[in-house]
Amino acid sequence: MPEFSKPSIEYFELLPLLIVFGAACLGVLVEAFLPRERRRIPQVLVTVGGLVAGLAATIWVATDVEEHADGAARGLVGAEGSVIVDGPTLYLWGLILVFGILGAALFAERRLEGGLSSFAGQAAALPGTEAERQAATKGLDHTEVYPLLLFAIGGMLLFPASGDLLTMFVALEVLSLPLYLLCGLARRRRLLSQEAALKYFLLGAFSSAFFLYGAALVYGYAGSVSFAGVDKAVRAGSADHGLLLAGIALLAVGLLFKVGAAPFQAWTPDVYQGAPTAVTAFMSAATKVAAFGALLRLFYVAFGAERWSWQPMLAVVAIATMLLGAVLAIVQTDVKRMLAYSAVAHTGFLLTGVIGAQGAGDLAEGQYSSLEGVLFYLTTYGFASVGAFALVTVVRDAGGEATGTAAWAGLGKRSPLVAGAFAFFLLSMAGIPLTSGFVGKWAVFTSAMSAGFWWVVLPAIVSSVIAVFFYIRHIRVMFFNEPEPGETAAVSEASLLTVGTVAVCLAATVVLGVVPGPVLDLVVGAGDFIR
């Protein structure tokens, strides 16, 4: 009679995941047992405390991981092969948790709305009805947003750490479902917010179906859903090569939707514009980090031996994404939509780095690998994006946030600090030297060039030049244009939560541009994926 072998769970290495999911469950209990008027402070404390504890646990785990392949990789394969905690995973975890803390600070901001949060007081009430007005009058607040944020972050932590396709799909759903809800809870512009949530949900459901069908096809080809098993089958070869290619294509659809790549970017401008800006700020950074981490692991680990098949596909997608994002951003008259199409263009730049995959032996001495370049770019773009959207929340008129470009005219004279900080974030996104964006683009472009994809780097440079135009145009509007009568916006006084978030993002953008060495060393020290 065969002996029963109990599963082995590496609780210490999985501690950051357990802390975040535990804090999310604790937040649900707070919602269940505390009166509504007493929930906010405990929820904020549970959320920020859980994220800070998760970040501390991530640093603790990173100091005590095993080396593999003579130091080329660090970490372990845990939870019976379903979760991989290696150097890139730990770096991505730290990045997601930092952006999560900044997002939680923006969620907790109340001074801008006169003592209320930016979330609806009663989501079930129809926009403009008496029930909604009464909820606002009573100062009701949806504190459910905090456990939803924690569950989304938990899914984001699991997404790039997945060791098999089923775990990756579960993580995809865990991070997506809370975001669908959060996008529809704006206090102002309720109809626009609900429309954004519905579009995001419907398109997200389609992308999840594509991902799951692709996982089924890959399982049919490899006989395994683990990345190690798929990699082994790909290297061994099979007569069902068409099945593998179809599976890769369908999996790519699911992941390219999450990163907002063409032709799956249609949700991005609508959701970025309609969602509460605090949610948009968090999504723009953390979701992109998690999705690109998962995309890198899937293509580099499971399909690394098949890269001559998927590299041309991603190259075409990267070119289309960069050009579409940059060109459509030019015609936008809403700041949030402009930043959304900017995010689409940056997705193309990141994909340019992804296609530069090479073996470690193919790299010249001192050259950064594509993995290292993409991780650094995610860091630089994330801080600039969160900071820019945080500043959007403080530029307001009588109707709330003034996101129309015309309302920003003359802002440099009325509030030079806010306009100057926003201009600096835009210059970083444009990749101007001495900003973090320049170093990030240099890292991903050089990795693509060294892999022979110069024909992708050329459109990337053209897209960067196009992007400079609409970034500089908005800076000109702020500092050199006179406001139109009746379209003037003012800067509202924010609490230390928003001010601190902007300050952290601004400091990170400056340091990563002037002294990028320590973070680049940290990225290089993370090593490669465990295969």
Side-chain angles (χ1 to χ4, degrees), residues 176 178-186 189 192-204 257-258 260 264-284 287 334 336-337 339-341 344 389 401:
S176 298
L179 292 178
Y180 300 152
L181 292 172
L182 289 171
C183 288
L185 292 177
R189 301 181 180 179
L192 193 63
S193 176
Q194 292 173 352
E195 178 187 352
L198 185 61
K199 287 180 178 178
Y200 194 19
F201 169 69
L202 291 176
L203 293 176
F257 170 85
K258 295 310 297 183
F264 315 108
Q265 85 299 332
W267 64 273
T268 308
D270 293 334
V271 172
Y272 275 40
Q273 181 186 22
T277 306
V279 177
T280 305
F282 167 71
M283 283 178 54
S284 66
T287 305
D334 185 277
K336 290 175 73 174
R337 291 185 72 89
L339 291 175
Y341 279 110
V344 172
F389 280 110
E401 293 172 358

Side-chain angles (χ1 to χ4, degrees), residues 26-27 29-49 103-119 138-147 150 187 494-498:
L26 182 58
L29 293 178
V30 170
E31 286 295 314
F33 292 105
L34 285 185
R36 187 166 188 173
E37 63 274 6
R38 294 174 55 190
R39 294 174 190 167
R40 177 181 172 270
I41 298 299
Q43 287 286 29
V44 173
L45 293 176
V46 167
T47 301
V48 176
L106 295 178
F107 275 38
E109 173 64 58
R110 290 167 69 91
R111 183 178 296 180
L112 294 173
E113 290 284 354
L116 300 173
S117 74
S118 59
F119 297 97
K138 294 177 181 178
L140 298 182
D141 205 354
H142 262 298
T143 50
E144 295 95 330
V145 297
Y146 297 103
L150 286 171
R187 183 175 293 276
S495 71
L496 188 60
L497 295 169
T498 300

Side-chain angles (χ1 to χ4, degrees), residues 131-157:
E132 186 183 50
R133 282 191 291 272
Q134 288 181 1
T137 303
K138 294 177 181 178
L140 298 182
D141 205 354
H142 262 298
T143 50
E144 295 95 330
V145 297
Y146 297 103
L148 287 173
L149 173 67
L150 286 171
F151 277 119
I153 293 173
M156 291 174 186
L157 296 179

Side-chain angles (χ1 to χ4, degrees), residues 33-384:
F33 292 105
L34 285 185
R36 187 166 188 173
E37 63 274 6
R38 294 174 55 190
R39 294 174 190 167
R40 177 181 172 270
I41 298 299
Q43 287 286 29
V44 173
L45 293 176
V46 167
T47 301
V48 176
L51 294 175
V52 171
L55 181 60
T58 300
I59 297 171
W60 187 15
V61 173
T63 59
D64 187 27
V65 287
E66 182 182 354
E67 292 189 354
H68 297 270
D70 297 326
R74 302 163 61 239
L76 57 82
V77 178
E80 298 295 310
S82 60
V83 180
I84 302 175
V85 183
D86 52 16
T89 294
L90 292 167
Y91 184 86
L92 292 166
W93 280 3
L95 211 53
I96 291 168
L97 288 167
V98 168
F99 293 143
I101 294 169
L102 298 176
L106 295 178
F107 275 38
E109 173 64 58
R110 290 167 69 91
R111 183 178 296 180
L112 294 173
E113 290 284 354
L116 300 173
S117 74
S118 59
F119 297 97
Q122 189 172 345
L126 292 175
T129 60
E130 182 62 27
E132 186 183 50
R133 282 191 291 272
Q134 288 181 1
T137 303
K138 294 177 181 178
L140 298 182
D141 205 354
H142 262 298
T143 50
E144 295 95 330
V145 297
Y146 297 103
L148 287 173
L149 173 67
L150 286 171
F151 277 119
I153 293 173
M156 291 174 186
L157 296 179
L158 184 59
F159 201 30
S162 302
D164 59 65
L165 291 170
L166 288 182
T167 304
M168 184 169 281
F169 175 74
V170 171
L172 174 63
E173 295 305 296
V174 172
L175 78 88
S176 298
L177 293 174
L179 292 178
Y180 300 152
L181 292 172
L182 289 171
C183 288
L185 292 177
R187 183 175 293 276
R188 298 176 184 264
R189 301 181 180 179
R190 289 288 311 287
L191 288 177
L192 193 63
S193 176
Q194 292 173 352
E195 178 187 352
L198 185 61
K199 287 180 178 178
Y200 194 19
F201 169 69
L202 291 176
L203 293 176
F206 282 119
S207 73
S208 296
F210 275 104
F211 186 93
L212 202 55
Y213 194 14
L217 293 181
V218 171
Y219 175 75
Y221 170 83
S224 173
V225 292
S226 71
F227 294 159
V230 173
D231 177 60
K232 184 178 179 181
V234 171
R235 293 181 185 278
S238 170
D240 299 324
H241 193 247
L243 201 62
L244 173 65
L245 295 180
I248 292 175
L250 292 175
L251 289 171
V253 170
L255 291 178
L256 291 175
F257 170 85
K258 295 310 297 183
V259 299
F264 315 108
Q265 85 299 332
W267 64 273
T268 308
D270 293 334
V271 172
Y272 275 40
Q273 181 186 22
T277 306
V279 177
T280 305
F282 167 71
M283 283 178 54
S284 66
T287 305
K288 202 173 290 289
V289 170
F292 265 102
L295 188 145
L296 286 166
R297 185 174 296 280
L298 179 65
F299 282 100
Y300 284 15
V301 178
F303 304 128
E306 190 68 20
R307 64 174 181 258
W308 55 82
S309 296
W310 56 258
Q311 278 179 320
M313 173 194 70
L314 288 186
V316 173
V317 171
I319 294 173
T321 303
M322 290 182 291
L323 292 175
L324 184 143
V327 171
L328 291 184
I330 293 176
V331 298
Q332 302 304 314
T333 58
D334 185 277
V335 176
K336 290 175 73 174
R337 291 185 72 89
M338 183 265 287
L339 291 175
Y341 279 110
S342 167
V344 172
H346 283 284
T347 295
F349 298 142
L350 284 160
L351 288 173
T352 303
V354 173
I355 63 174
Q358 298 184 85
D362 299 330
L363 298 174
E365 185 176 354
Q367 179 183 342
Y368 294 106
S369 69
S370 55
L371 171 61
E372 294 158 359
V374 171
L375 291 181
F376 184 79
Y377 197 115
L378 288 170
T379 308
T380 61
Y381 172 74
F383 281 110

